[in-house]
Amino acid sequence: MQFLAILHNRNRPYCVVFVLLFFCLEKNVYFCRQFKIKDKIEMGKVILTGDRPTGKLHLGHYVGSLRRRVQLQNAGDYDRMFVFMADVQALTDNADNPEKIRQNIIEVALDYLAAGLDPEKCVLFIQSQIPELAELTTYLMNIVSVSRVQRNPTVKTEIKMRGFEGESIPLGFFCYPVSQAADILLFKSTTVPVGEDQEPMLEVTREIARRFNQIYAEVFPEPNILLPENLTARRLPGTDGKEKMSKSLGNCIYLSDSADEVWQKVRSMYTDPEHINLNDPGHVEGNAVFTYLDAFSCDEDFAAFWPEYQNLDELKAHYQRGGLGDMKCKKFLNQVLNKFLEPMRERRAEFEKDIPEIYNILKKGTAQAREVGAQTMDEVRKAMRIDYFNDVELIRQQAEKYAK
Ligand code: TRP
């Protein structure tokens, strides 16, 4: 009523102008913000991902993310792509065994190159050699709470697995999700291709990005996780049929295994314990051989190695009916695996001939990554108002204050 009264009095024209002006300003601010945010995020697609260098990479890594990374790299649909060795993170639970990390840098680098990552197309670098990452981690720690990190299911599982109970959790280990957020944000990553166990890390990272942008200034895009395309690829079981392929369980097929080693492992793979006689009906669920075939085989493999069947469904049907032996399936799986492992072995052998060159590739990649990181840190310091020496205005104001 009061509003209407105002509209009816003689101030009406002013009111209308005022309301209109206010509306325009609001809209304008809104559009600017939208535009700014959009502009920043669409500025480019930045892909970033990494692995802890605690051992050679295995088939689980391959289907879980390595294969996808190589596809992404070759599709070329990005502005920048970074793949790095997370040695700082590896040290958070290997403080007493740095040698293990040191030895595995080269293994992982060789696996990357053998799998087809190309240093001309993506930047390969070592985490510990980028001091900006440590610097950013420090600042990000101020905008995350202890309880937020404590809730992280991946950290919880790892604490149990490593036997860190209560008092013995290393602080650095506890904080690694923040350090991982820094890995992702320092390079303004938009796309992070990782396994689903990394989802909680991405969630924290997005929260941190949002908080930072809100408190200081719009610096970071909110990154998205890019999960493996199908369920088997997300969690490849070990050769023993156990839930996960993992070095500590000793159930891995490594990308660098020889043809002979692969066959030995495939030959003794876990199948269906109830499939004793050839004519017994077999189960494909929980049968590691079939899970691997799900993850790795395609119709062309049948045409090339086992034309009796057109595709995996036909093979499964026969196995389930009975009358199909495990050994035949294992021989096929072995061929399927070797089809992509053999070219990798050959590439690896080539790269192994010049190890100093591998370190050189990593050194160059690290220098490139540092350059990008340093740029972001300039923005971060500016946003956080800790760019004292670059802030001429600050120095002038302070001088003025004390000149009186
Ligand atoms: N936590 C990841 C792993 O265990 C490794 C990692 C560290 C990472 N920093 C990252 C992955 C940043 C993606 C982005 O495999």
Side-chain angles (χ1 to χ4, degrees):
M1 274 323 277
Q2 227 173 355
F3 183 63
L4 286 179
I6 292 173
L7 280 183
H8 276 103
N9 71 21
R10 60 196 158 81
N11 288 331
R12 189 171 158 186
Y14 297 109
C15 269
V16 172
V17 168
F18 179 76
V19 167
L20 262 177
L21 196 70
F22 183 74
F23 180 76
C24 287
L25 267 176
E26 264 289 276
K27 267 288 175 220
N28 199 24
V29 167
Y30 178 74
F31 280 135
C32 283
R33 282 203 73 210
Q34 284 287 88
F35 180 71
K36 226 175 117 195
I37 295 166
K38 263 192 132 179
D39 190 38
K40 287 230 154 136
I41 292 173
E42 282 178 5
M43 195 175 60
K45 185 161 150 191
V46 178
I47 303 172
L48 173 133
T49 176
D51 297 284
R52 298 182 191 182
T54 51
K56 298 174 176 183
L57 303 184
H58 52 59
L59 288 181
H61 293 112
Y62 186 71
V63 275
S65 78
L66 199 48
R67 182 167 66 182
R68 171 63 82 71
R69 292 178 201 173
V70 177
Q71 286 163 353
L72 285 167
Q73 169 201 272
N74 293 337
D77 172 31
Y78 56 88
D79 280 356
R80 282 190 176 125
M81 177 162 170
F82 299 92
V83 178
F84 73 104
M85 279 156 247
D87 60 336
V88 175
Q89 192 172 109
L91 282 165
T92 64
D93 62 340
N94 283 287
D96 52 355
N97 195 2
E99 193 54 32
K100 175 166 130 193
I101 314 301
R102 184 182 167 83
Q103 293 300 327
N104 279 306
I105 292 276
I106 194 74
E107 295 296 342
V108 174
L110 284 166
D111 286 334
Y112 281 170
L113 294 166
L117 289 179
D118 175 353
E120 295 292 315
K121 296 181 185 159
C122 74
V123 178
L124 300 174
F125 71 91
I126 304 180
Q127 187 187 23
S128 61
Q129 306 307 298
I130 314 276
E132 287 79 5
L133 282 174
E135 189 182 355
L136 183 58
T137 304
T138 305
Y139 299 135
L140 298 185
M141 283 208 233
N142 299 336
I143 56 175
V144 200
S145 68
V146 170
S147 71
R148 183 65 188 85
V149 177
Q150 243 159 2
R151 279 208 309 273
N152 188 311
T154 308
V155 173
K156 274 190 188 164
T157 327
E158 282 175 334
I159 287 175
K160 265 198 211 126
M161 262 167 50
R162 310 246 182 321
F164 292 150
E165 251 91 54
E167 312 284 288
S168 72
I169 305 171
L171 190 54
F173 173 83
F174 182 79
C175 297
Y176 95 73
V178 187
S179 149
Q180 183 155 338
D183 299 338
I184 295 168
L185 297 179
L186 185 72
F187 302 97
K188 300 197 178 186
S189 318
T190 56
T191 312
V192 184
V194 279
E196 70 183 339
D197 59 325
Q198 299 297 304
E199 201 140 32
M201 304 298 161
L202 263 290
E203 223 167 87
V204 176
T205 306
R206 279 194 296 270
E207 274 175 38
I208 293 178
R210 239 176 279 141
R211 277 217 85 191
F212 186 100
N213 292 346
Q214 187 194 2
I215 302 174
Y216 304 111
E218 193 76 36
V219 173
F220 301 119
E222 276 182 44
N224 293 309
I225 190 165
L226 190 62
L227 289 170
E229 49 300 338
N230 64 54
L231 275 179
T232 11
R234 288 185 193 180
R235 193 168 285 256
L236 191 74
T239 50
D240 54 1
K242 296 246 172 67
E243 202 188 328
K244 203 180 170 186
M245 181 171 278
S246 125
K247 191 172 41 133
S248 50
L249 297 173
N251 59 9
C252 301
I253 294 178
Y254 293 100
L255 300 180
S256 51
D257 278 348
S258 68
D260 199 40
E261 284 168 313
V262 171
W263 172 235
Q264 292 312 323
K265 291 178 185 181
V266 170
R267 212 171 59 147
S268 53
M269 253 171 101
Y270 178 86
T271 56
D272 171 12
E274 286 164 36
H275 189 236
I276 302 163
N277 300 309
L278 183 71
N279 288 322
D280 291 342
H283 294 93
V284 296
E285 304 81 26
N287 180 328
V289 171
F290 282 92
T291 312
Y292 280 36
L293 287 175
D294 269 329
F296 297 101
S297 74
C298 57
D299 294 355
E300 290 88 78
D301 292 331
F302 284 93
F305 309 124
W306 211 356
E308 250 175 79
Y309 306 94
Q310 293 219 331
N311 53 43
L312 188 54
D313 289 337
E314 282 186 24
L315 181 70
K316 283 182 178 172
H318 190 179
Y319 190 80
Q320 286 165 321
R321 275 200 309 274
L324 177 59
D326 282 351
M327 222 13 118
K328 277 191 172 174
C329 301
K330 287 178 171 176
K331 278 192 182 139
F332 175 60
L333 173 61
N334 190 52
Q335 283 173 304
V336 168
L337 295 180
N338 277 321
K339 191 179 102 180
F340 66 89
L341 289 175
E342 190 49 37
M344 282 169 67
R345 277 183 209 115
E346 281 165 19
R347 273 199 297 269
R348 200 180 214 269
E350 277 307 303
F351 284 114
E352 282 172 2
K353 286 184 190 155
D354 193 355
I355 294 296
E357 178 52 20
I358 310 295
Y359 282 100
N360 219 8
I361 289 172
L362 297 177
K363 191 174 166 187
K364 274 197 218 150
T366 302
Q368 275 172 276
R370 255 201 102 171
E371 221 173 280
V372 178
Q375 272 173 25
T376 308
M377 278 319 292
D378 280 343
E379 287 178 52
V380 165
R381 287 186 218 102
K382 189 160 181 247
M384 292 182 68
R385 319 283 288 144
I386 52 173
D387 57 336
Y388 313 110
F389 305 137
N390 295 333
D391 194 341
V392 201
E393 185 56 19
L394 168 77
I395 300 172
R396 196 192 56 74
Q397 276 172 10
Q398 297 298 331
E400 209 170 83
K401 183 168 125 195
Y402 283 92
K404 287 168 195 159

